[in-house]
Amino acid sequence: MNREKLTPMMQQYLAVKDENPDSILFFRLGDFYEMFFDDALLASRELEITLTKRDAGLEEKAPMCGVPYHVASSYISKLIDKGYKVAICDQVEDPKLAKGIVKREVTQIITPGTFTDTEYLKSDLNNYLLSIFIQAYYINLTYSDYSTGEIYFIEKTFLSKAELYHFLRDQVDRISPNEILINEEEIEKFKKSLKKDNAFLNAYISENLKKSNLIKDFGDYFSDTFKDNLKNFLDKNNINDYISLKKLLQYLVITQKINLKHINNISYYNNFDFLFLDESSKRTLEIVKGLNTFTKKGSLLDVLDKCSTSMGSRKLKKWVESPLINLEKIERRLNLIESFTKDLLLLDKLENILKEVYDIERLVVKISNGTINPRELVSLKSTIENSKKVKKILESQDNFYLNLLSKDFIDLDDISSEIDNVLIDNPPVIIEENRIIKEEYSKDLDELFRISIEGKNWLLDFEERERKRTGIKKLKVKHNKILGYFIEVTKSFLDQVPEDYIRKQTLVGSERFFSVKLKEMEGKLLGSKERALNLQAEIYNKLKDFIGKEIYRIQILADKLSDLDSILSLAKVSNLNNYTRPKFNNDGFIEIKEGRHPIVESYMKDDFFVPNDTFIDTKNNMIHIITGPNMAGKSTYMRQVALITIMAHIGSFVPCDSCNISLVDRIFTRIGASDNLAKGQSTFMVEMQEVADIIENASSNSLLILDEVGRGTSTFDGLAIANAIIEYIAENIKAKTLFATHYHELVHLEEKYDSIENLTIAVDRQDDDIIFLRKIIQGFTNNSYGIDVAKLAGIDNKIIDRAKEVLAVIEKENEGISIDLNKEFVKDEHENPEIMNFINKLKEINILEINPMQAFNILDEIVKRSKEL
Ligand code: ADP
């Protein structure tokens, strides 16, 4: 394209576009944001808006499309949702004063991870921007929700590559960022190993920041509070290398282009402060997302979240994802929940107040960038007033924990009373011509508004009076920018014009006049409205500035309100669902009486959830091997033990009659042959990688939930592996383990190890049908009841009957074949009755035509693998 031929405006457009190649450029022209060339083609397709053309000075017209500026946000949100960035290019000088073409500049780049429009953001989810820095064995991560101003930092050293990506995968899953920044050389590896395509991925802005000083570089953009907190944070945590943090702040500065006054604090997210749940366990236990829904529906979070505010829902999600391991902190939450479950009226009262509380956590970004509207400030005022009510109520309770909690609610009277002094009680959202400032706040403003209103009335009066005096019915008082106020008379009435009118302008069909009185009034009137609005804006800006200095205190209040909301939600749910307060022990056991699965029971309508007891410890009840028919409730039982344990760590009441829990360091949940096709890995491979991870990371303080592990391969293979895993846990890891399996052969391990106990789920047979009793009992079953389950599932009777015939034959033929994995096989095939027996049995049932050597190899392989694992 020959740029010299372009019109000056198009040249300006392209110059701006050159600086923002990876954003769709919204270029302000009059009342529209216009897009040109490739951006226009793309945006018209993505937004389904009409593509037009505009003369750009070239032979061919330029493709163009546009959206009206006052509805731009809905279009921007659509583009952000699709993973694009949008650069907003506005006029930065008054077009009236511009010499030549109006100056335009990009005032903000809106990106998926910095999007703040509360109308389009999901209210119960944080919108995180994650910055990742990886170098050799070291990783640091910083993530921030720009809409609330939160920033968190994590770092880890001395990791192998595999560990590093494992760690990263778990963190990315937990943080669930909408946008990611990463050092360029890691991008491909990241994409490959995380299969992350739903988060917008950026390479770091290349400018080298490594040696620069963070505070020096960006100091102008941040509040003093942030600078102080940042310095303390870096010193306290001994952090030297924090490239991800620098890059994240740099990105915010470059995209937002304004002061970031609502970023005031930074926290260290220390993995060791929380009960670690890896991505796979979180998914299979449905902690924050249902397995089938991929949304909150059907998850533990869904059951627990009865928050009254979005701030509360976001906070509760953090609690649920990161259960505590500090007993003192857990007990603090439990004490509060118990206080509220004992006083439901109080719970109700506080909940009603919180329902009136506004999402002030997401208001702060608007205070920071000055876009907050008067109605939102009044909401801030009422939220502060409501939190004061909360404080008073908590103070007045005869309860130590609630009195202590009341101290959390800091005094923000200065802010609410300032808003109350300045703004009317129900101000409009849009200021424009409306009055938003209270009467008597400013005498000058009152006077200007009075003149402007009176003036308007005076003009109407004047027009009426003049019509009567002159008899000219169509006489009109009008106003334009050049003449100011004037009287207009159509040609046919010119002879009735009185002598005191002074002719000013002649048009085709009419003449325009002044009068002395009108001129006098004009002096007062002209500009009084404008001056009133200017003064009003000035007062409003002062108010915004005042509040802008107090953002940090507002954030502290928001934090405390969301804590309270989460506690109230947990109390409410525990009351609704009959949960009890967990107890804790240091003796390594978990005892649950009449435990229930919180999610399954919430979905049961008429059916009754059958509660079950659990006792599991690090001695004689360490590993439970659970056999039983399909669909009997094995998975439900195991997951309920994990979920009750997790809930206790969250500091929530739990679904059981009583429980006593020893704190655990990690909970691993692995489901055999889980379908991980989305990640492009064979299911058995995934299964084994997950087992490897457990072997590596589980300790005697962990809780392991293993469901059908070993299933993803052939029977003998799988059995051997399952056997070896259980032995390894019993001998080396010594972690509390629930292991559900179809390999009935494994129940013999109970005899070998004191720490192993067999459990099964009771079923009853009535005539030809099985009935699931859902009760966990000691013992085992050597029947999978597969055919019975098939029958229950509605498979045709003919097939069921045939299957029974086939089973009878197979069972008869199979009798006597069993492999003792704990035996060493001797290679001398002719003298080994074990092997000969095995071969004969196989031959009898025509399964395999094999020679003794092959049979030896099969058996040897099984034993070897079981030992290797
Ligand atoms: P398994 O793992 O033995 O195949 P599941 O744990 O998947 O069986 O249970 C199958 C279904 O049985 C569950 O989806 C649930 O609806 C029901 N169920 C399981 N446990 C119970 C229980 N304790 N009380 C009532 N229903 C249950």
Side-chain angles (χ1 to χ4, degrees):
M1 176 192 316
N2 184 349
R3 288 208 175 187
E4 277 165 22
K5 281 192 177 167
L6 286 170
T7 59
M9 198 211 64
M10 274 304 175
Q11 289 192 13
Q12 185 188 38
Y13 170 85
L14 281 179
V16 180
K17 178 70 199 170
D18 283 347
E19 284 172 19
N20 299 277
D22 61 347
S23 303
I24 296 177
L25 186 63
F26 270 44
F27 192 74
R28 180 73 180 263
L29 283 182
D31 284 343
F32 277 76
Y33 282 117
E34 303 285 7
M35 285 147 273
F36 300 102
F37 303 108
D38 288 349
D39 278 1
L41 299 174
L42 184 101
S44 69
R45 200 173 56 235
E46 295 285 19
L47 299 172
E48 294 175 21
I49 52 176
T50 318
L51 186 68
T52 56
K53 284 186 165 127
R54 184 188 175 107
D55 186 7
L58 303 171
E59 263 171 39
E60 241 184 82
K61 287 185 171 176
M64 170 176 104
C65 67
V67 298
Y69 88 97
H70 61 277
V71 291
S73 54
S74 81
Y75 292 101
I76 293 170
S77 75
K78 272 189 204 157
L79 291 173
I80 296 299
D81 209 36
K82 288 169 188 265
Y84 296 105
K85 295 189 204 177
V86 176
I88 305 292
C89 180
D90 270 319
Q91 297 173 176
V92 291
E93 64 178 347
D94 189 341
K96 274 181 263 162
L97 307 175
K99 288 190 199 104
I101 197 155
V102 187
K103 214 171 147 199
R104 290 182 178 82
E105 270 172 20
V106 170
T107 50
Q108 186 188 8
I109 301 169
I110 304 169
T111 76
T114 60
F115 189 55
T116 56
D117 198 328
T118 38
E119 215 176 305
Y120 303 100
L121 278 179
K122 290 200 179 80
S123 64
D124 57 350
L125 292 180
N126 277 102
N127 181 29
Y128 286 126
L129 166 68
L130 166 67
S131 167
I132 303 168
F133 179 75
I134 300 174
Q135 197 169 49
Y137 312 104
Y138 172 77
I139 179 165
N140 66 50
L141 308 176
T142 307
Y143 59 104
S144 165
D145 183 342
Y146 181 64
S147 71
T148 63
E150 292 156 79
I151 297 194
Y152 304 90
F153 179 84
I154 318 174
E155 72 176 339
K156 264 211 154 186
T157 37
F158 306 121
L159 297 169
S160 70
K161 270 283 161 210
E163 285 169 339
L164 191 147
Y165 273 93
H166 209 112
F167 172 78
L168 184 58
R169 195 166 26 243
D170 288 336
Q171 293 307 321
V172 170
D173 175 72
R174 180 180 64 80
I175 297 162
S176 244
N178 278 337
E179 186 174 0
I180 293 172
L181 311 172
I182 188 165
N183 41 332
E184 184 138 25
E185 53 287 8
E186 290 292 334
I187 282 197
E188 284 315 309
K189 180 95 198 286
F190 178 87
K191 277 191 195 157
K192 230 192 251 159
S193 66
L194 271 88
K195 304 274 171 221
K196 197 85 194 147
D197 41 18
N198 56 346
F200 190 80
L201 204 58
N202 294 285
Y204 275 160
I205 294 165
S206 56
E207 184 188 329
N208 190 6
L209 279 173
K210 207 166 175 179
K211 291 199 179 64
S212 66
N213 178 321
L214 192 57
I215 295 172
K216 234 196 253 161
D217 276 357
F218 304 125
D220 290 349
Y221 288 93
F222 293 105
S223 67
D224 290 340
T225 314
F226 182 61
K227 282 183 246 173
D228 288 346
N229 283 339
L230 181 63
K231 195 171 171 315
N232 290 339
F233 171 81
L234 297 174
D235 290 347
K236 195 176 115 201
N237 294 296
N238 223 342
I239 299 168
N240 298 315
D241 215 349
Y242 40 88
I243 292 187
S244 65
L245 170 63
K246 289 178 192 169
K247 289 293 181 182
L248 184 128
L249 294 179
Q250 180 195 35
Y251 191 72
L252 290 179
V253 166
I254 286 174
T255 54
Q256 303 309 305
K257 302 185 190 299
I258 45 161
N259 285 350
L260 306 167
K261 282 184 278 188
H262 69 299
I263 293 180
N264 283 307
N265 207 355
I266 173 161
S267 319
Y268 197 102
Y269 183 92
N270 192 343
N271 254 336
F272 299 114
D273 288 344
F274 303 103
L275 167 60
F276 183 70
L277 298 169
D278 60 11
E279 183 264 333
S280 169
S281 305
K282 265 175 62 187
R283 182 164 37 82
T284 41
L285 291 173
E286 302 179 285
I287 300 294
V288 294
K289 276 187 194 159
L291 262 180
N292 298 323
T293 61
F294 300 108
T295 64
K296 184 171 157 189
K297 212 168 157 19
S299 68
L300 176 66
L301 179 62
D302 194 30
V303 173
L304 298 182
D305 185 3
K306 296 269 178 290
C307 287
S308 309
T309 69
S310 320
M311 296 190 281
S313 291
R314 294 195 296 269
K315 177 61 75 69
L316 188 61
K317 181 164 184 277
K318 289 180 190 142
W319 286 10
V320 170
E321 277 180 314
S322 300
L324 301 167
I325 46 167
N326 176 315
L327 193 54
E328 212 174 296
K329 287 184 184 162
I330 294 173
E331 295 284 10
R332 181 172 181 266
R333 286 184 190 165
L334 290 171
N335 288 334
L336 290 171
I337 293 170
E338 183 166 306
S339 307
F340 289 121
T341 53
K342 282 185 179 157
D343 189 346
L344 297 178
L345 277 176
L346 173 66
L347 172 69
D348 207 42
K349 200 164 154 188
L350 290 173
E351 205 182 58
N352 283 333
I353 298 177
L354 287 190
K355 287 211 168 93
E356 302 296 316
V357 154
Y358 199 79
D359 191 349
I360 55 171
E361 202 180 26
R362 277 203 164 142
L363 221 53
V364 292
V365 64
K366 296 187 184 179
I367 301 176
S368 169
N369 64 23
T371 56
I372 192 154
N373 70 49
R375 192 173 290 169
E376 288 167 328
L377 279 185
V378 170
S379 309
L380 172 64
K381 174 184 80 173
S382 72
T383 299
I384 294 172
E385 286 164 355
N386 278 321
S387 73
K388 224 171 136 176
K389 279 189 211 159
V390 168
K391 186 182 177 79
K392 274 219 171 92
I393 293 172
L394 292 172
E395 260 167 6
S396 68
Q397 302 303 311
D398 186 14
N399 176 315
F400 170 75
Y401 304 114
L402 299 183
N403 298 158
L404 197 64
L405 180 69
S406 75
K407 300 200 190 328
D408 278 359
F409 292 86
I410 54 169
D411 182 357
L412 296 184
D413 271 357
D414 51 333
I415 299 176
S416 59
S417 54
E418 188 62 16
I419 297 173
D420 191 53
N421 283 342
V422 179
L423 295 181
I424 57 173
D425 292 341
N426 285 308
V429 174
I430 298 165
I431 309 176
E432 282 181 2
E433 306 252 307
N434 301 307
R435 174 147 197 180
I436 56 160
I437 308 289
K438 261 202 183 127
E439 300 236 2
E440 292 190 10
Y441 177 75
S442 151
K443 286 222 164 59
D444 291 349
L445 185 71
D446 290 350
E447 179 67 11
L448 287 169
F449 269 117
R450 191 182 56 75
I451 296 171
S452 105
I453 290 166
E454 278 178 4
K456 225 185 235 162
N457 292 338
W458 185 91
L459 284 172
L460 288 173
D461 268 5
F462 175 76
E463 190 179 63
E464 199 49 45
R465 263 186 283 134
E466 291 299 293
R467 279 179 191 166
K468 274 192 191 136
R469 182 166 79 94
T470 59
I472 306 171
K473 273 192 204 135
K474 288 193 175 165
L475 177 146
K476 276 187 186 140
V477 174
K478 287 188 169 175
H479 174 264
N480 73 24
K481 274 188 188 153
I482 298 157
L483 295 183
Y485 286 96
F486 55 84
I487 303 159
E488 191 171 271
V489 178
T490 48
K491 284 260 158 80
S492 49
F493 292 98
L494 279 183
D495 53 337
Q496 283 169 260
V497 169
E499 292 210 340
D500 54 326
Y501 279 19
I502 305 150
R503 191 183 312 269
K504 197 66 196 161
Q505 195 180 35
T506 304
L507 302 180
V508 184
S510 60
E511 302 248 341
R512 290 169 169 182
F513 303 91
F514 290 153
S515 84
V516 177
K517 269 192 193 154
L518 184 61
K519 266 280 123 187
E520 267 174 20
M521 198 57 200
E522 183 185 80
K524 285 191 187 172
L525 249 179
L526 254 194
S528 75
K529 175 105 196 205
E530 206 173 321
R531 275 184 288 152
L533 292 178
N534 283 343
L535 182 56
Q536 169 161 282
E538 209 174 287
I539 295 170
Y540 188 59
N541 285 340
K542 254 196 209 147
L543 176 66
K544 287 197 289 188
D545 285 349
F546 170 77
I547 296 168
K549 294 199 181 79
E550 306 301 331
I551 292 178
Y552 191 36
R553 287 166 64 215
I554 298 172
Q555 286 172 317
I556 293 172
L557 181 67
D559 189 44
K560 299 305 174 190
L561 284 168
S562 58
D563 280 353
L564 174 67
D565 199 8
S566 301
I567 290 286
L568 292 178
S569 174
L570 292 176
K572 185 175 179 172
V573 171
S574 95
N575 177 51
L576 283 175
N577 300 346
N578 251 327
Y579 293 171
T580 51
R581 179 171 181 157
K583 289 198 178 76
F584 295 89
N585 68 73
N586 287 324
D587 302 321
F589 68 87
I590 292 177
E591 181 175 38
I592 300 168
K593 294 276 184 222
E594 303 278 292
R596 287 135 30 214
H597 189 297
I599 308 167
V600 175
E601 83 165 346
S602 78
Y603 277 94
M604 300 195 89
K605 289 198 183 99
D606 303 328
D607 305 331
F608 176 63
F609 189 91
V610 181
N612 271 305
D613 294 349
T614 304
F615 184 81
I616 182 164
D617 63 11
T618 43
K619 296 173 194 139
N620 293 345
N621 290 283
M622 189 164 78
I623 299 173
H624 292 181
I625 297 178
I626 308 173
T627 47
N630 256 322
M631 284 299 286
K634 298 185 295 299
S635 306
T636 309
Y637 171 73
M638 293 194 303
R639 287 173 210 215
Q640 111 190 3
V641 174
L643 285 168
I644 289 173
T645 309
I646 290 171
M647 286 168 79
H649 284 74
I650 291 170
S652 162
F653 280 23
V654 288
C656 60
D657 279 2
S658 70
C659 77
N660 195 337
I661 289 190
S662 141
L663 292 182
V664 296
D665 58 359
R666 291 181 67 146
I667 292 184
F668 291 93
T669 308
R670 292 293 181 269
I671 308 297
S674 68
D675 202 358
N676 216 341
L677 291 178
K679 283 194 176 158
Q681 285 157 312
S682 105
T683 51
F684 184 64
M685 184 68 183
V686 173
E687 191 184 330
M688 288 302 107
Q689 279 173 351
E690 293 187 346
V691 170
D693 177 47
I694 296 179
I695 305 288
E696 182 101 339
N697 293 303
S699 79
S700 59
N701 285 328
S702 306
L703 174 64
L704 314 185
I705 307 291
L706 302 172
D707 197 352
E708 302 283 1
V709 165
R711 257 220 134 168
T713 181
S714 70
T715 311
F716 287 157
D717 254 9
L719 172 58
I721 288 169
N723 187 104
I725 291 169
I726 295 179
E727 286 181 353
Y728 190 86
I729 296 171
E731 287 171 19
N732 299 300
I733 304 179
K734 299 188 194 300
K736 290 184 272 292
T737 304
L738 299 177
F739 194 107
T741 183
H742 273 284
Y743 299 126
H744 307 127
E745 295 81 353
L746 294 175
V747 299
H748 300 302
L749 287 168
E750 189 186 40
E751 292 154 23
K752 190 172 169 193
Y753 293 95
D754 287 344
S755 53
I756 295 185
E757 193 187 50
N758 289 330
L759 296 179
T760 183
I761 305 215
V763 290
D764 200 10
R765 261 201 183 280
Q766 273 183 8
D767 303 328
D768 217 12
D769 295 323
I770 54 160
I771 298 164
F772 296 128
L773 299 178
R774 313 264 183 235
K775 263 292 171 205
I776 277 275
I777 51 173
Q778 283 196 334
F780 62 89
T781 171
N782 50 13
N783 190 338
S784 285
Y785 295 90
I787 298 178
D788 302 273
V789 174
K791 186 176 171 193
L792 278 183
I795 287 187
D796 194 287
N797 271 340
K798 276 187 212 136
I799 298 179
I800 298 290
D801 289 344
R802 176 65 188 143
K804 282 183 182 163
E805 282 170 26
V806 175
L807 180 69
V809 175
I810 296 175
E811 273 177 354
K812 198 159 179 302
E813 288 172 344
N814 238 339
E815 262 168 33
I817 296 189
S818 70
I819 311 160
D820 184 350
L821 291 168
N822 302 309
K823 258 206 173 109
E824 296 279 345
F825 292 98
V826 187
K827 205 164 184 170
D828 184 356
E829 62 269 22
H830 300 295
E831 282 171 29
N832 190 329
E834 202 84 42
I835 291 181
M836 292 320 290
N837 190 25
F838 178 60
I839 295 167
N840 288 336
K841 292 289 177 192
L842 289 176
K843 273 189 187 152
E844 269 172 40
I845 55 171
N846 284 334
I847 287 185
L848 279 173
E849 200 50 65
I850 57 172
N851 63 38
M853 199 59 211
Q854 285 168 322
F856 168 79
N857 284 339
I858 292 173
L859 290 169
D860 192 50
E861 182 68 17
I862 292 172
V863 173
K864 246 198 256 143
R865 282 202 209 174
S866 79
K867 290 213 171 102
E868 272 166 23
L869 280 164

